Amino acid sequence: MIETKGFGDFPVSQDELTGLADRAALEEHLDSLFGSYADSDFDDRLQFAILCIDLDGFKQFNEKYGRAEGDLVLKLVADRLQTCMRKNDVVYRIDGDEFAVVLLQVTANEVASVADRIIGSVSQPYDLTNADSAAITVTIGAALAPRDGDTPESLLWCGDAALYIAKKAGKGIYRRYSERRSS
């Protein structure tokens, strides 16, 4: 595990393959964010969001092209995710083909805009070493704090629930948890 300077004064553990912050860093970051808002009121300018991101059909991709090509695509996806972010947003690889993004000081409309940008970028074809090119889509579920979750655990649960709803609706799409509750 690689340790680097992190959010505030604590180190951030990183995923060895992509160099992104990992699940432990995500949990620590969310704890820190909720802790900083504990004594103040949230308003639209202080909201933050979690995007739960899953590559569609990645198991089949690995079976077709092999693990080495799969690892290459994970690295390229990580790069593309980072190019879609604003200055203070953070991308995480949390497991296998699952990623997460924390968007700071964000509105619901900005969350949708970032999600659309991610879907467009990640869905572009990838140049592979052992094949010409291949494409993969991404599905995203989002939750906003404190509207959808007021603890790290509840926010992550809502983001995962939104991802599950999005996956049931199709591939290469985005759903927000609040949209699920209002339908």
Side-chain angles (χ1 to χ4, degrees):
M1 188 178 306
I2 302 165
E3 299 285 335
T4 66
K5 189 72 176 158
F7 317 105
D9 294 327
F10 58 89
V12 172
S13 54
Q14 291 181 305
D15 171 64
E16 291 181 18
L17 178 66
T18 63
L20 296 176
D22 65 10
R23 178 183 291 276
L26 170 63
E27 291 170 357
E28 197 165 347
H29 190 194
L30 290 175
D31 284 341
S32 174
L33 286 170
F34 277 102
S36 69
Y37 289 117
D39 297 326
S40 64
D41 291 329
F42 282 97
D43 63 25
D44 282 343
R45 290 172 288 118
L46 298 177
Q47 288 188 113
F48 57 94
I50 183 86
L51 299 180
C52 295
I53 302 167
D54 188 63
L55 300 182
D56 301 319
F58 190 68
K59 180 181 178 193
Q60 292 81 7
F61 183 95
N62 268 341
E63 289 170 0
K64 182 175 181 178
Y65 297 106
R67 289 206 181 273
E69 297 290 4
D71 285 351
L72 173 62
V73 166
L74 289 172
K75 291 176 194 177
L76 295 171
V77 165
D79 292 343
R80 289 185 186 184
L81 288 172
Q82 290 184 90
T83 64
C84 293
M85 296 303 106
R86 303 168 310 159
K87 180 180 174 186
N88 293 322
D89 300 333
V90 183
V91 181
Y92 302 86
R93 180 174 177 222
I94 56 175
D95 189 34
D97 65 336
E98 298 174 32
F99 296 84
V101 174
V102 172
L103 303 172
L104 300 174
Q105 297 180 337
V106 68
T107 65
N109 288 339
E110 290 168 328
V111 171
S113 177
V114 170
D116 288 341
R117 198 165 51 242
I118 289 170
I119 290 169
S121 177
V122 172
S123 299
Q124 296 299 311
Y126 295 87
D127 292 328
L128 303 178
T129 53
N130 296 323
D132 291 334
S133 69
I136 194 159
T137 57
V138 63
T139 300
I140 302 173
L144 275 84
R147 180 185 314 164
D148 300 327
D150 58 2
T151 65
E153 296 80 17
S154 64
L155 187 67
L156 282 168
W157 187 92
C158 291
D160 282 339
L163 176 61
Y164 176 75
I165 296 299
K167 285 248 179 220
K168 282 183 69 173
K171 294 181 179 182
I173 62 173
Y174 153 78
R175 291 290 185 268
R176 198 176 83 235
Y177 184 77
S178 298
E179 294 169 335
R180 177 193 165 273
R181 292 190 310 186
S182 62
S183 27

